[in-house]
Amino acid sequence: PDFGCEGRPDGFAIKDKVLLKSNLTGEEKIIHEKDARLYELDINEGDEVVDVRLTNGRNQLILANRNGRAVRFDETDVRAMGRTATGVCGMKPDDDGQDEVVGMIVVNDPKTESVMVVSQEGYGKRSEVEDYRMTRRGAKGVKTLNITEKTGKLVAIKNVTDDNDLMIINQSGIVIRMAVAEVRVMGRNTQGVRLINLTKKNDVIASVCKVMSSDLEARVEEESHSQWQKTSDDLKSDNTPTNLAAIATPSDEADSQSDETSESVSEEKE
């Protein structure tokens, strides 16, 4: 199937600072179950892919690491490569030996989007995209969250708007859904506010996902239901006895002509 991705590049963010950009053409667009072992890139043992995003070739990218730093650069800094290439350096990790990339976002509209980050201990905040200065790939970046013992390490970065909700799940299985609009935009070099209370000892955030807001979701569902109801009513009206009687099928016309011919022949014989 063609997913409309002809010529569109995609970016892979890998834990060990590496970034790969390839074009979605040919075999990359069609992967069947039997082709599940098709390699998209060559990664080192123990490393893994942490994010994959579609871009238009002119986007800006922001990568973040677990030590609370982020780097913003133009997508054109990363040249398109072969499917199995290792990639290039996206950001320089810290020297503590434990740093790694936790996520990547694609900036589509800096005026309406903001950067949401969440830490291990349930703290998070929103910052303006313009607070992150443009630089080149491979830089150490700037602070996106003030990491302390209270906040824990950074675990997620998302580009959000007021029309989004945020769903957060911790390792003990508790899920919370909150409106992004309820989280105020604050400075880049701050520790944020508590988004979720972790009541169990040693519990941490396991996953963060952005979804459409509950109000927008309700409107979309209502519009979808209304459209379905309208289509259903149109189909019912098209199948009423009156409309069915008005539609003459070829077989009905042939039978009518045959009856008329038979009547004419009988009259001539008489």
Side-chain angles (χ1 to χ4, degrees), residues 26-132:
E27 60 185 348
E28 287 88 346
K29 293 194 300 181
I30 306 174
I31 302 179
H32 302 285
E33 289 185 7
K34 65 179 181 180
D35 300 322
R37 291 178 297 174
L38 179 67
Y39 290 107
E40 277 288 1
L41 70 165
D42 185 18
I43 59 177
N44 298 324
E45 184 178 355
D47 207 353
E48 63 184 78
V49 176
V50 296
D51 231 329
V52 181
R53 301 291 175 187
L54 280 173
T55 64
N56 60 17
R58 301 177 302 277
N59 288 121
Q60 296 173 5
L61 307 177
I62 298 180
L63 273 69
N65 64 17
R66 70 192 305 266
N67 284 343
R69 304 182 71 85
V71 57
R72 175 189 175 196
F73 57 91
D74 200 285
E75 180 192 349
T76 55
D77 287 350
V78 185
R79 71 182 186 278
M81 308 175 197
R83 180 171 51 79
T84 59
T86 302
V88 294
C89 180
M91 71 179 301
K92 186 177 181 181
D94 291 338
D95 300 327
D96 59 1
Q98 299 179 345
D99 195 17
E100 62 186 24
V101 174
V102 297
M104 172 181 68
I105 61 175
V106 175
V107 179
N108 297 298
D109 187 357
K111 295 182 179 180
T112 60
E113 294 177 333
S114 57
V115 179
M116 168 75 76
V117 292
V118 181
S119 71
Q120 282 180 327
E121 299 297 329
Y123 283 81
K125 65 166 187 176
R126 297 168 65 191
S127 301
E128 298 286 353
V129 173
E130 296 301 334
D131 286 349
Y132 301 80

Side-chain angles (χ1 to χ4, degrees), residues 181-247:
E182 295 177 357
V183 182
R184 65 184 179 89
V185 177
M186 59 184 69
R188 178 175 50 77
N189 188 15
T190 55
Q191 69 177 15
V193 296
R194 181 174 288 280
L195 303 179
I196 180 175
N197 288 317
L198 302 177
T199 56
K200 292 186 177 181
K201 188 177 181 180
N202 298 325
D203 196 9
V204 293
I205 301 300
S207 181
V208 179
C209 177
K210 71 170 182 178
V211 296
M212 67 174 65
S213 67
S214 55
D215 292 339
L216 181 58
E217 185 178 0
R219 290 199 301 269
V220 171
E221 185 176 352
E222 183 178 355
E223 291 173 1
S224 177
H225 179 74
S226 300
Q227 183 64 34
W228 176 86
Q229 188 64 46
K230 182 178 182 300
T231 303
S232 179
D233 292 341
D234 290 343
L235 290 174
K236 289 180 180 179
S237 63
D238 289 341
N239 289 305
T240 57
T242 303
N243 291 336
L244 290 175
I247 301 175

